[in-house]
Amino acid sequence: MVYEKDELIFATEHLNIVPITLQDQIELLKILQDPNLMQLGWGKTFSLTETRQWLEKIQQQYHQFGYSYFFIIEKTTEEIVGLVGGLKTEIQGRPEVELAYIIKPFAQGHGYAHEAASGMLEFLHLKGVPSVIAQFVPDNKASKKVAEALGLTYAGRYSRNLNGQLREHLIYRKELLPF
């Protein structure tokens, strides 16, 4: 993936975090149509039209909040290894910022989720976000492991409507402010 250095949101030891642009539809589609990634958390893959909607929402969130999903680029290979972001959401009537991460199957097990999400916590802190949550289905052991390693702690569970079906989700939380 080619990106300009001034587009860099932040960098970690092994990763560059960059914005997703409207021209990145095919790259985003590769992630959103991967059943190994999307079935566990979302219960479905996403169509071309739905991917376009994701792109438009991401752009709106960049302008409104200064954050959303970003691509995770491995520095050495310059390959997209996943997504990381802070997402405004509401859980049980309470506004939240969700720390979210999706790592492509070939890149799992290399610490990229932890490294990217750790950098995202710092980025969100600098943006003035007071706390974050992570939410995931109980079967997603990898997300639970990453959340706990980042210092998020269990805060509850709830049933989330995904594609017309209620699925139980765990909620983990971390306070970011004050310093």
Side-chain angles (χ1 to χ4, degrees):
M1 174 176 186
V2 178
Y3 62 93
E4 300 297 321
K5 290 293 184 198
D6 63 343
E7 293 177 328
L8 188 68
I9 300 301
F10 64 86
T12 66
E13 182 179 355
H14 303 103
L15 307 170
N16 287 325
I17 309 304
V18 301
I20 301 169
T21 70
L22 292 174
Q23 290 72 42
D24 293 323
Q25 181 168 309
I26 299 302
E27 292 300 328
L28 186 58
L29 189 64
K30 289 176 188 176
I31 294 171
L32 299 183
Q33 287 192 336
D34 184 330
N36 295 318
L37 291 175
M38 306 312 293
Q39 288 294 338
L40 184 59
W42 284 266
K44 66 176 254 178
T45 58
F46 290 81
S47 70
L48 183 61
T49 300
E50 291 169 319
T51 300
R52 187 66 161 160
Q53 292 168 347
W54 267 60
L55 278 171
E56 291 168 1
K57 185 174 181 179
I58 287 167
Q59 298 306 308
Q60 290 171 348
Q61 291 171 336
Y62 287 166
H63 293 295
Q64 190 172 1
F65 311 120
Y67 53 87
S68 182
Y69 275 116
F70 299 100
F71 278 134
I72 305 168
I73 310 292
E74 201 282 329
K75 286 181 179 179
T76 305
T77 64
E78 295 190 358
E79 275 192 87
I80 296 171
V81 297
L83 304 173
V84 67
L87 310 172
K88 291 270 190 172
T89 190
E90 188 174 296
I91 297 178
Q92 298 177 318
R94 180 179 172 166
E96 303 281 4
V97 174
E98 178 182 0
L99 175 65
Y101 36 89
I102 303 171
I103 305 297
K104 290 181 175 183
F106 80 88
Q108 293 175 4
H110 299 282
Y112 295 145
H114 183 274
E115 188 173 333
S118 180
M120 183 55 59
L121 286 175
E122 185 176 334
F123 176 79
L124 293 170
H125 183 162
L126 294 172
K127 290 282 188 186
V129 173
S131 66
V132 297
I133 60 104
Q135 61 174 324
F136 42 85
V137 296
D139 289 344
N140 194 337
K141 306 288 188 221
S143 284
K144 180 181 178 189
K145 184 177 177 181
V146 170
E148 289 175 343
L150 292 168
L152 282 80
T153 56
Y154 178 78
R157 57 182 60 220
Y158 78 110
S159 292
R160 180 179 181 186
N161 186 341
L162 287 178
N163 311 311
Q165 293 185 5
L166 289 179
R167 291 191 66 193
E168 182 180 44
H169 278 64
L170 303 178
I171 304 168
Y172 278 64
R173 175 179 306 283
K174 181 173 186 168
E175 301 301 320
L176 301 180
L177 293 177
F179 283 118

